[in-house]
Amino acid sequence: MKPSSGRPAAPAPLVIESSVVEGLPAEGALLLRMSGSLDADGAEAWAKELRGHLEQADRAGLRPVLDMAHVQLGGAAVLRTLSETTRARTGRPDLVIVRARPGVREAVHLARLDGVRLYATLDEALRELARAASRVEDLPAWQSQMADPLRPSYEDLHKEVRALRARVRTAPVIGMAQGTLMVRYGLADSGSAFRALREASQRFNVPLRVLVSAVVVARPPDGEVWFPGRRCLPVPQLRILARGGRDPRYRRQMVDAVLHEALAVGRAPAGYVQCVDPAVHALVLESHHGCAETFLDHLARGRGDGTADAAARARGRQVSVPDVAADPRLSDDCRHALLATGARAVRSVPVLSSAGSCTAVITLHWPDAGHRQASAQAETLARLAADTSAWLSWYHRTVLLDALEHLHQALARPAS
């Protein structure tokens, strides 16, 4: 690798990850999650990539939904790009934008772009699309569903801070993965490595964070094939796969299903799922429901000690906290964060691999102190954790290894 020139690091390149969201009455949605930065110089490349995704959505009969929660955008660049892209889509379904940062949201609102619909959350957008039965003619050319988009709420600001903290924690791992690929394959620059990672992430629908962690921790390939002798594994027969036609290849869909199953079993109004990132040996939030932004911000800080999650991970068994205010196992920071958001009782359930290591933690919150689950509920949660472990093992040994193998083949081919 070339030595540092002393110049400030360039902003993280923009990435678009696509996944299909099903369940709408007339059609599904193609969710395009963006992360990184966009300025005037990168607007043209981003517009080209976005048009490709939109064409894919149109061919598949899907409604395009652009999630801009984790993007830093220059107002003029995004407005020009969105204006040109939506103008070229005349007669096509509107482009739905969700979770835009306050500055971008305000700019889009003021510009009144034709063919753009603006929503505060993904759930709100999908509910509205479902109510309209996904019929384009029923939708106005532009509509803001927020009460006052010119004045970002405290919730918006909390989301923005949480997203920034998540990016700060992920950026070093992306850098390590880029450096690994540059050295291994003799790549000229970090941009080439990032583009290869992004392509593999999109092709196999593996979150970029998960892929880069795998690149960092996986043993290096020593031949033309990264994982010689690997066999195709059958999809495990799991209860969480039996309902709703869930596709085990889609990580976010499956993690969301695990959480909603746990909420139903525990009759809990709030909860979340964290998975262990092997590159940083820490729990990373992957799905949540009903949790206040202030508590999610506490999780994003990465302060794992003194929590029920950390205790469940360390002990390898369920940890129940019937009274948050009085339990000495909780740190003061964790206790204050829970009480401030109305959580008075907590249970954390570890997801253990076949070797006994913790790979994820499912946590539920209740608003009443003294809440204790029946033994039958605890047993059902334990079975759900076992199912989750079986799915994660299959996912890592099939989908994730497929993505790594593709990455190896794509980068090794030019050098052969």
Side-chain angles (χ1 to χ4, degrees), residues 20 63 66 72-73 83 250 266 285 371 384:
V20 175
R63 175 62 61 92
L66 190 58
Q72 298 189 24
L73 295 162
S83 177
Y250 294 116
L285 182 67
H371 179 91
L384 175 62

PDB file of all heavy atoms in Angstrom, residues 20 63 66 72-73 83 250 266 285 371 384:
ATOM      1  N   VAL A  20     -35.864  -6.532  -1.746  1.00  0.00           N
ATOM      2  CA  VAL A  20     -37.293  -6.516  -2.065  1.00  0.00           C
ATOM      3  C   VAL A  20     -38.089  -6.578  -0.779  1.00  0.00           C
ATOM      4  O   VAL A  20     -37.823  -7.407   0.093  1.00  0.00           O
ATOM      5  CB  VAL A  20     -37.659  -7.697  -2.979  1.00  0.00           C
ATOM      6  CG1 VAL A  20     -39.170  -7.747  -3.219  1.00  0.00           C
ATOM      7  CG2 VAL A  20     -36.919  -7.581  -4.306  1.00  0.00           C
ATOM      8  N   ARG A  63     -42.404  -1.024  -6.625  1.00  0.00           N
ATOM      9  CA  ARG A  63     -42.382   0.402  -6.315  1.00  0.00           C
ATOM     10  C   ARG A  63     -41.023   0.764  -5.723  1.00  0.00           C
ATOM     11  O   ARG A  63     -40.606   0.175  -4.723  1.00  0.00           O
ATOM     12  CB  ARG A  63     -43.486   0.741  -5.308  1.00  0.00           C
ATOM     13  CG  ARG A  63     -43.486   2.198  -4.818  1.00  0.00           C
ATOM     14  CD  ARG A  63     -43.708   3.161  -5.970  1.00  0.00           C
ATOM     15  NE  ARG A  63     -44.979   2.934  -6.604  1.00  0.00           N
ATOM     16  CZ  ARG A  63     -46.106   3.556  -6.262  1.00  0.00           C
ATOM     17  NH1 ARG A  63     -46.096   4.429  -5.290  1.00  0.00           N
ATOM     18  NH2 ARG A  63     -47.227   3.294  -6.892  1.00  0.00           N
ATOM     19  N   LEU A  66     -36.502   4.833  -1.758  1.00  0.00           N
ATOM     20  CA  LEU A  66     -35.125   5.244  -1.523  1.00  0.00           C
ATOM     21  C   LEU A  66     -34.949   5.637  -0.058  1.00  0.00           C
ATOM     22  O   LEU A  66     -35.527   6.611   0.405  1.00  0.00           O
ATOM     23  CB  LEU A  66     -34.791   6.434  -2.438  1.00  0.00           C
ATOM     24  CG  LEU A  66     -33.338   6.879  -2.529  1.00  0.00           C
ATOM     25  CD1 LEU A  66     -32.458   5.742  -3.006  1.00  0.00           C
ATOM     26  CD2 LEU A  66     -33.218   8.063  -3.467  1.00  0.00           C
ATOM     27  N   GLN A  72     -24.954  11.575   3.591  1.00  0.00           N
ATOM     28  CA  GLN A  72     -24.671  12.998   3.697  1.00  0.00           C
ATOM     29  C   GLN A  72     -24.667  13.563   2.289  1.00  0.00           C
ATOM     30  O   GLN A  72     -23.880  13.148   1.455  1.00  0.00           O
ATOM     31  CB  GLN A  72     -23.321  13.225   4.360  1.00  0.00           C
ATOM     32  CG  GLN A  72     -23.254  12.700   5.786  1.00  0.00           C
ATOM     33  CD  GLN A  72     -21.982  13.128   6.476  1.00  0.00           C
ATOM     34  OE1 GLN A  72     -21.378  14.129   6.107  1.00  0.00           O
ATOM     35  NE2 GLN A  72     -21.589  12.380   7.479  1.00  0.00           N
ATOM     36  N   LEU A  73     -25.583  14.488   2.039  1.00  0.00           N
ATOM     37  CA  LEU A  73     -25.788  14.967   0.677  1.00  0.00           C
ATOM     38  C   LEU A  73     -25.715  16.485   0.604  1.00  0.00           C
ATOM     39  O   LEU A  73     -26.226  17.180   1.480  1.00  0.00           O
ATOM     40  CB  LEU A  73     -27.163  14.525   0.166  1.00  0.00           C
ATOM     41  CG  LEU A  73     -27.370  13.022   0.011  1.00  0.00           C
ATOM     42  CD1 LEU A  73     -28.838  12.710  -0.063  1.00  0.00           C
ATOM     43  CD2 LEU A  73     -26.675  12.541  -1.228  1.00  0.00           C
ATOM     44  N   SER A  83     -34.148  15.640  -9.543  1.00  0.00           N
ATOM     45  CA  SER A  83     -34.992  16.286 -10.538  1.00  0.00           C
ATOM     46  C   SER A  83     -34.814  15.641 -11.909  1.00  0.00           C
ATOM     47  O   SER A  83     -35.787  15.320 -12.598  1.00  0.00           O
ATOM     48  CB  SER A  83     -34.659  17.778 -10.609  1.00  0.00           C
ATOM     49  OG  SER A  83     -35.414  18.412 -11.614  1.00  0.00           O
ATOM     50  N   TYR A 250     -32.315 -13.398   2.580  1.00  0.00           N
ATOM     51  CA  TYR A 250     -32.400 -11.973   2.869  1.00  0.00           C
ATOM     52  C   TYR A 250     -32.245 -11.745   4.367  1.00  0.00           C
ATOM     53  O   TYR A 250     -33.160 -11.998   5.149  1.00  0.00           O
ATOM     54  CB  TYR A 250     -33.721 -11.408   2.358  1.00  0.00           C
ATOM     55  CG  TYR A 250     -33.830 -11.449   0.852  1.00  0.00           C
ATOM     56  CD1 TYR A 250     -34.791 -12.230   0.218  1.00  0.00           C
ATOM     57  CD2 TYR A 250     -32.943 -10.730   0.055  1.00  0.00           C
ATOM     58  CE1 TYR A 250     -34.881 -12.281  -1.166  1.00  0.00           C
ATOM     59  CE2 TYR A 250     -33.021 -10.779  -1.324  1.00  0.00           C
ATOM     60  CZ  TYR A 250     -33.990 -11.549  -1.927  1.00  0.00           C
ATOM     61  OH  TYR A 250     -34.060 -11.601  -3.292  1.00  0.00           O
ATOM     62  N   GLY A 266     -43.319 -13.000  23.698  1.00  0.00           N
ATOM     63  CA  GLY A 266     -43.186 -12.348  24.994  1.00  0.00           C
ATOM     64  C   GLY A 266     -44.261 -11.335  25.300  1.00  0.00           C
ATOM     65  O   GLY A 266     -44.289 -10.779  26.395  1.00  0.00           O
ATOM     66  N   LEU A 285     -26.554  -3.427  16.472  1.00  0.00           N
ATOM     67  CA  LEU A 285     -28.008  -3.411  16.309  1.00  0.00           C
ATOM     68  C   LEU A 285     -28.380  -3.708  14.862  1.00  0.00           C
ATOM     69  O   LEU A 285     -27.875  -3.075  13.940  1.00  0.00           O
ATOM     70  CB  LEU A 285     -28.551  -2.041  16.721  1.00  0.00           C
ATOM     71  CG  LEU A 285     -30.070  -1.863  16.666  1.00  0.00           C
ATOM     72  CD1 LEU A 285     -30.755  -2.744  17.711  1.00  0.00           C
ATOM     73  CD2 LEU A 285     -30.438  -0.391  16.891  1.00  0.00           C
ATOM     74  N   HIS A 371     -42.370  -7.500  35.890  1.00  0.00           N
ATOM     75  CA  HIS A 371     -42.820  -8.429  34.846  1.00  0.00           C
ATOM     76  C   HIS A 371     -41.940  -9.672  34.845  1.00  0.00           C
ATOM     77  O   HIS A 371     -40.719  -9.600  34.793  1.00  0.00           O
ATOM     78  CB  HIS A 371     -42.749  -7.753  33.480  1.00  0.00           C
ATOM     79  CG  HIS A 371     -43.179  -8.658  32.362  1.00  0.00           C
ATOM     80  ND1 HIS A 371     -44.481  -8.718  31.923  1.00  0.00           N
ATOM     81  CD2 HIS A 371     -42.493  -9.565  31.622  1.00  0.00           C
ATOM     82  CE1 HIS A 371     -44.563  -9.613  30.947  1.00  0.00           C
ATOM     83  NE2 HIS A 371     -43.366 -10.130  30.746  1.00  0.00           N
ATOM     84  N   LEU A 384     -36.859 -20.303  19.728  1.00  0.00           N
ATOM     85  CA  LEU A 384     -36.673 -19.280  18.697  1.00  0.00           C
ATOM     86  C   LEU A 384     -35.190 -18.947  18.543  1.00  0.00           C
ATOM     87  O   LEU A 384     -34.694 -18.797  17.417  1.00  0.00           O
ATOM     88  CB  LEU A 384     -37.461 -18.024  19.061  1.00  0.00           C
ATOM     89  CG  LEU A 384     -37.265 -16.814  18.140  1.00  0.00           C
ATOM     90  CD1 LEU A 384     -37.722 -17.129  16.725  1.00  0.00           C
ATOM     91  CD2 LEU A 384     -38.023 -15.599  18.685  1.00  0.00           C
TER      92      LEU A 384
END
